Amino acid sequence: MAKTSSRRDFFIRVGQVSTASIVGGALWGHVLVESKANAFALRPPGALPEKDFLATCIKCGQCVDACPYETLSLTKVGEDGEIGVPHFTAREIPCYMCEDVPCARSCPTGALDREIEINDSRMGLAVLIDQEACIAFQGLRCEVCYRQCPLIDKALTINYRPQERTGKHAFFEPVVHSDVCTGCGMCEQVCILEESAIRILPHKLAQGKLGSNYRLGWKEKTKISNFKDSSPEKTKEERQQESNEMLNNALDSLNDMGTLYD
Amino acid sequence: MISWLKNNRFLISRRISQIGILLLFYVSVHFDWKVGGVEILEGNLSSSTFLGIIPLADPFAALQILFTGHSLFTETLLGAGIILVFYALVGGRSFCSWVCPMNIVTDSSLKLRNWLKIPSAIQISRRVRYYILALALILSALTGVAAFEWISPISMLQRELIFGMKLGWVAAAMIFLFDLFGQRGGWCGHLCPLGAFYSIPGKMSLIRIQFNQDPCTKCGDCHRICPEPQVLNLRRIGEESMVSSGNCTNCGRCVTVCPEDCFQFSFRTKK
């Protein structure tokens, strides 16, 4: 009798523990999955793709410690975003692109790529997000973001356009190039407006993507391989000769058929 | 005064150790304080660099990251190994009473509840921390983020003490109130998976509390003051002449409280 009762107790115990684990685990898991992510958070140079970065960052703050400009900080409880991981706010203190990248070099876990060359880093992308506010688009001369850009004339260039209102001036419009811009944020920090017109956004928010079905003819160096004899180096004469040959061949084959004129 | 110092010698040493370690981190971050050209401790309790070269890492945090399916640098694994071996030598849960800043919070809560004589409102089994430990690893694997690190009040508190405070104190306040009105030793003794983790290498610790059975009058003072009283099973520690449980935090309270001086710190003796 005692034996059945202890077996019964055992199963009840198992039931209680597993129920508690499942309920607790579900709640805890919910917190982990739904934890308020900050889609606008900018990570230190060399950060892995966001999901891998969040998984491997051990939140030790050695990158924060290593940064000589106090750019980085660990997200505190009550701030926006995942608690404890490093981020920076470009408008306050941008990344000054140290050549030796001390923050990434100090990362113990590999959440930041230690081998990163600073110009290859992609912390985000500068986007001229408000043309209506940018004074360059009003026809006033500014260029401050352009002058501040550490990769001037590569990441940020000026597009000159005639200014019709006066008829003798030009617009000096800043243009960002995504293949070079590291997202350091110096342009955003230095923008003379009360609220910056140029801002660093994570690539996911800033960039579109062309479908892979598109072929931009003027960029395609090689033609579609189904076409026969399509090497583009052929001169006009060669092509003419080719088509003559084809024509002769066709006439020959017609003549060979013989029965046609009988 | 002298006798007060003597009776509180372990408490004072523990506070110096806890605050000192945080302070070493703090001066590295805020003042770039260096000795002989190197910062003594850079980082925080999750992972750090000692003397500019020796890596240290929280082995439980590293384990959770491994469970997310991500690999770690050899350096981090080495750092976690160093910490693990260290605590296997000095007693796993020595971390709890000599390093963890949350210990200051829970000790003060315990002091206040003893003074106010507040009864426990709830009863949670001491085994629950091991379920939470297992759950932390399972959830790390399922969600792809280090599950306990994401919500750990210990990490939040120490991080903000070192890097600057915002709302991290709320985590400490919640633990304080839980221990005060909920259950005696509720967090450290029943829920904390980090303590549960450290109790595992603690089983083989070299440094142990030695127990001399002969003068013991079974007054129960040690039991009343111990944060993990189940480790002081007088019959069992009498047979083994030492406190062998991995959950002993080596805090030394029993050593100073015992009127017969039955307890003392010693190295594990072969029996």
Side-chain angles (χ1 to χ4, degrees), chain A residues 1-258:
Chain A
M1 196 59 210
K3 200 172 181 185
T4 33
S5 139
S6 86
R7 182 186 296 159
R8 187 185 147 78
D9 286 349
F10 172 74
F11 282 118
I12 289 175
R13 188 94 196 114
V14 168
Q16 287 170 333
V17 170
S18 29
T19 310
S21 307
I22 291 167
V23 172
L27 282 174
W28 188 354
H30 178 76
V31 170
L32 297 179
V33 176
E34 301 287 311
S35 64
K36 49 172 186 174
N38 181 357
F40 295 93
L42 301 177
R43 304 299 177 203
L48 298 179
E50 188 72 358
K51 197 167 166 286
D52 297 323
F53 172 76
L54 293 178
T56 44
C57 173
I58 202 167
K59 309 175 182 183
C60 67
Q62 290 188 71
C63 53
V64 175
D65 205 355
C67 176
Y69 299 102
E70 298 186 359
T71 299
L72 300 173
S73 67
L74 298 184
T75 309
K76 289 166 188 159
V77 183
E79 287 179 345
D80 243 9
E82 294 81 359
I83 294 165
V85 292
H87 73 281
F88 70 98
T89 309
R91 184 66 165 166
E92 286 160 16
I93 310 177
C95 169
Y96 286 104
M97 308 226 329
C98 311
E99 271 181 35
D100 55 346
V101 211
C103 52
R105 301 285 187 269
S106 73
C107 179
T109 62
L112 306 178
D113 176 9
R114 283 188 206 170
E115 310 296 320
I116 190 80
E117 294 292 330
I118 191 64
N119 286 351
D120 295 337
S121 65
R122 292 292 180 268
M123 295 167 264
L125 180 63
V127 179
L128 208 148
I129 205 161
D130 192 356
Q131 291 194 2
E132 289 175 348
C134 175
I135 62 163
F137 284 81
Q138 318 299 314
L140 299 173
R141 189 160 175 188
C142 175
E143 288 185 29
V144 171
C145 56
Y146 163 75
R147 297 283 166 199
Q148 186 72 5
C149 179
L151 297 170
I152 183 170
D153 286 326
K154 296 196 223 37
L156 202 48
T157 55
I158 294 290
N159 181 35
Y160 303 98
R161 195 164 56 81
Q163 158 41 313
E164 288 89 2
R165 183 173 58 82
T166 61
K168 52 187 172 184
H169 297 95
F171 290 105
F172 286 55
E173 300 167 351
V175 180
V176 179
H177 301 275
S178 65
D179 51 338
V180 185
C181 174
T182 63
C184 70
M186 288 191 222
C187 54
E188 176 175 341
Q189 194 251 347
V190 82
C191 176
I192 60 142
L193 303 186
E194 274 181 30
E195 300 286 343
S196 183
I198 190 163
R199 298 189 191 187
I200 311 299
L201 296 180
H203 290 90
K204 206 177 147 190
L205 292 177
Q207 280 188 304
K209 190 176 177 225
L210 187 65
S212 60
N213 52 325
Y214 280 87
R215 292 277 183 277
L216 304 182
W218 59 97
K219 285 189 178 172
E220 295 284 318
K221 290 281 184 246
T222 52
K223 287 189 182 165
I224 297 166
S225 57
N226 283 350
F227 288 129
K228 220 174 146 186
D229 290 329
S230 55
S231 46
E233 295 83 12
K234 278 179 184 158
T235 59
K236 199 177 171 187
E237 288 73 24
E238 281 173 335
R239 280 200 300 264
Q240 186 64 49
Q241 202 183 343
E242 239 174 53
S243 70
N244 285 341
E245 274 174 21
M246 281 168 76
L247 188 60
N248 288 333
N249 288 343
L251 287 172
D252 287 346
S253 71
L254 281 175
N255 289 333
D256 289 346
M257 287 167 85

Side-chain angles (χ1 to χ4, degrees), chain B residues 47-231:
Chain B
S47 175
S48 58
T49 309
F50 179 50
L51 298 178
I53 176 109
I54 302 167
L56 302 174
D58 173 351
F60 183 43
L63 190 64
Q64 290 172 66
I65 294 178
L66 290 179
F67 264 75
T68 65
H70 290 79
S71 56
L72 285 169
F73 282 154
T74 329
E75 191 186 313
T76 320
L77 297 175
L78 182 69
I82 290 172
I83 292 290
L84 207 57
V85 168
F86 177 75
Y87 283 120
L89 294 179
V90 305
R93 294 203 55 199
S94 300
F95 169 80
C96 303
S97 54
W98 291 81
V99 178
C100 183
M102 195 57 86
N103 178 261
I104 304 176
V105 175
T106 56
D107 275 1
S108 346
S109 177
L110 184 64
K111 194 138 209 176
L112 186 60
R113 85 172 289 149
N114 284 345
W115 187 60
L116 296 173
K117 299 193 173 60
I118 301 172
S120 284
I122 47 171
Q123 289 297 331
I124 300 170
S125 161
R126 289 191 184 269
R127 254 180 303 179
V128 167
R129 52 185 157 184
Y130 292 100
Y131 299 142
I132 295 178
L133 170 61
L135 211 52
L137 297 178
I138 295 168
L139 284 176
S140 297
L142 290 180
T143 60
V145 291
F148 183 60
E149 290 315 296
W150 222 240
I151 59 161
S152 164
I154 306 165
S155 300
M156 289 175 194
L157 178 65
Q158 57 106 7
R159 211 163 39 226
E160 296 206 6
L161 283 172
I162 294 167
F163 288 98
M165 196 55 104
K166 198 156 182 190
L167 287 176
W169 61 270
V170 171
M174 277 163 63
I175 302 278
F176 183 88
L177 292 174
F178 178 69
D179 272 21
L180 188 64
F181 296 111
Q183 186 171 14
R184 181 185 188 269
W187 171 254
C188 302
H190 300 79
L191 297 179
C192 177
L194 186 56
F197 177 84
Y198 277 126
S199 78
I200 298 167
K203 284 198 176 66
M204 48 181 129
S205 159
L206 275 186
I207 294 183
R208 295 275 69 164
I209 297 285
Q210 214 169 41
F211 176 61
N212 181 5
Q213 203 174 5
D214 299 332
C216 174
T217 62
K218 307 204 166 38
C219 67
D221 278 357
C222 53
H223 244 260
R224 272 186 291 278
I225 202 158
C226 181
E228 300 272 346
Q230 83 283 5
V231 310

